[in-house]
Amino acid sequence: MAIVEVTEDSLRRQAGESIFTAALALADQGLVTALNERGASISAMVDGRAVTVVITKTGIEGTCACEAPSPCPHAVATALTWVRTGEERPAPDLYAALRVRDADWLARRLVQLAENDQALAVRLLAEAEQVSAVDELADLRADLEQVMADLLEEAEQHDHDDWYGDAWYPDTGDLEEILDDIDELIAEEPDIALELIVRAIDLIEQAMDTEKVYGEELLNALTRVQGMHLDACLTGSPDPVRLAEWLIGKTLTSGWCSFDRSLADYSPVLGDQGLRRCRELMDGNKIADYKLRTLRESLARE
């Protein structure tokens, strides 16, 4: 297809109203057949006449057996049918064309395009780093899920009432390595790390809830993760209302977490909005136990 854009309006302007009307009638009656495109040249049979149309910088030039001045109605009808055929063709699928190209070629081409466009370069670099962080999150989450699934499977193989040496002392070495990686992620991507930390707290509590755990390793890991949660919140930018709801909900439902005594530590992140939400949740809770008392005392001090 020629680079020059040809439309119905441009054909109407070039041919004039009378010739365009005659051409429109020929096209609408289906008298343009055997349409063939080759570069900037289009050929067809129009009402029994052989027609050739060439797309130029200024419009079209037609050669027709009718020998009328160019562009004749037959030539315009040919160009008009070609335009309409082009409108019906789907646009090229850029993704389909690029996805089969070599990754190095794509990277080099992007660098070339961004050389003279600083804004594009900054955007590409930021998005590449974000994708890398998301990929790291997915890998760490998968490792965390697998390690904790293995620990739960071990727990099922032990009887906590067995006094003859079959008690379960979980090996938390693999878990600690994952926590080390998450700890490093806090400095670079605290909000992404926070997602992993919340999941780690839930999974460790599930293991603790089996009531088959001997030793302090798993409880120490839970205490460590709670500290990491505070670090990630202070470093990142969690939503204060959602954080308040999570802290109060976890404190009231968990048998292991001790966020009730650390509410004041979260105050820089919670701010007035988050602390107000904490108060609303506590005032609306009918449970009168030591957790609520501790929470209220912590909130009152803050």
Side-chain angles (χ1 to χ4, degrees):
M1 182 180 296
I3 296 176
V4 177
E5 183 178 10
V6 178
T7 66
E8 290 196 22
D9 287 339
S10 69
L11 290 172
R12 185 190 299 271
R13 289 193 300 270
Q14 181 181 357
E17 194 62 39
S18 60
I19 292 178
F20 182 81
T21 300
L24 188 62
L26 291 169
D28 288 344
Q29 293 173 33
L31 297 177
V32 180
T33 60
L35 190 70
N36 182 48
E37 173 190 341
R38 182 173 297 176
S41 177
I42 307 160
S43 60
M45 292 296 295
V46 182
D47 196 18
R49 295 174 174 84
V51 181
T52 299
V53 174
V54 177
I55 308 299
T56 69
K57 293 182 179 180
T58 58
I60 66 170
E61 291 182 358
T63 301
C64 177
C66 74
E67 298 182 353
S70 178
C72 68
H74 305 96
V76 175
T78 298
L80 181 60
T81 302
W82 171 75
V83 167
R84 290 177 173 178
T85 302
E87 290 174 351
E88 295 173 359
R89 285 197 295 270
D93 188 338
L94 179 60
Y95 175 74
L98 292 178
R99 68 188 299 268
V100 298
R101 297 304 300 263
D102 178 73
D104 289 338
W105 179 88
L106 288 171
R108 289 194 300 271
R109 186 64 183 133
L110 285 173
V111 170
Q112 291 170 356
L113 293 172
E115 282 180 350
N116 298 319
D117 190 336
Q118 185 63 26
L120 176 60
V122 171
R123 180 178 177 182
L124 287 172
L125 185 59
E127 291 186 7
E129 291 176 346
Q130 183 178 15
V131 169
S132 178
V134 171
D135 289 343
E136 184 176 0
L137 170 66
D139 292 341
L140 281 175
R141 186 183 181 100
D143 292 342
L144 175 64
E145 298 281 351
Q146 186 60 57
V147 166
M148 293 309 301
D150 292 342
L151 287 177
L152 285 174
E153 185 177 351
E154 286 182 19
E156 293 299 322
Q157 298 173 359
H158 290 78
D159 185 350
H160 71 286
D161 290 330
D162 189 340
W163 296 98
Y164 299 97
D166 195 32
W168 182 46
Y169 290 85
D171 181 359
T172 60
D174 291 340
L175 175 60
E176 291 292 345
E177 290 183 7
I178 294 173
L179 296 185
D180 289 341
D181 292 336
I182 298 175
D183 218 353
E184 293 179 2
L185 188 61
I186 291 175
E188 300 175 0
E189 298 287 347
D191 294 327
I192 290 179
L194 189 59
E195 297 180 34
L196 281 171
I197 292 169
V198 169
R199 182 56 179 160
I201 289 173
D202 291 340
L203 291 173
I204 295 174
E205 286 189 334
Q206 287 179 24
M208 300 291 293
D209 287 340
T210 63
E211 299 182 352
K212 297 182 178 183
V213 180
Y214 284 75
E216 298 181 351
E217 287 80 2
L218 203 55
L219 184 58
N220 290 339
L222 181 59
T223 302
R224 177 186 178 184
V225 176
Q226 289 180 215
M228 291 166 59
H229 185 274
L230 176 60
D231 292 341
C233 288
L234 292 174
T235 307
S237 55
D239 179 83
V241 172
R242 292 181 61 186
L243 175 60
E245 293 171 350
W246 186 86
L247 286 171
I248 300 301
K250 178 59 70 174
T251 298
L252 296 178
T253 59
S254 170
W256 306 101
C257 285
S258 57
F259 291 110
D260 52 321
R261 300 184 182 277
S262 60
L263 186 60
D265 297 329
Y266 285 88
S267 60
V269 186
L270 290 168
D272 293 340
Q273 187 180 18
L275 291 170
R276 185 164 53 250
R277 182 57 178 155
C278 288
R279 187 179 299 109
E280 292 173 354
L281 293 169
M282 287 186 286
D283 290 345
N285 199 299
K286 303 300 182 181
I287 302 175
D289 63 4
Y290 78 94
K291 289 184 177 181
L292 275 176
R293 288 196 300 273
T294 305
L295 280 168
R296 288 193 174 99
E297 290 172 1
S298 179
L299 184 62
R301 287 195 300 272
E302 185 54 37

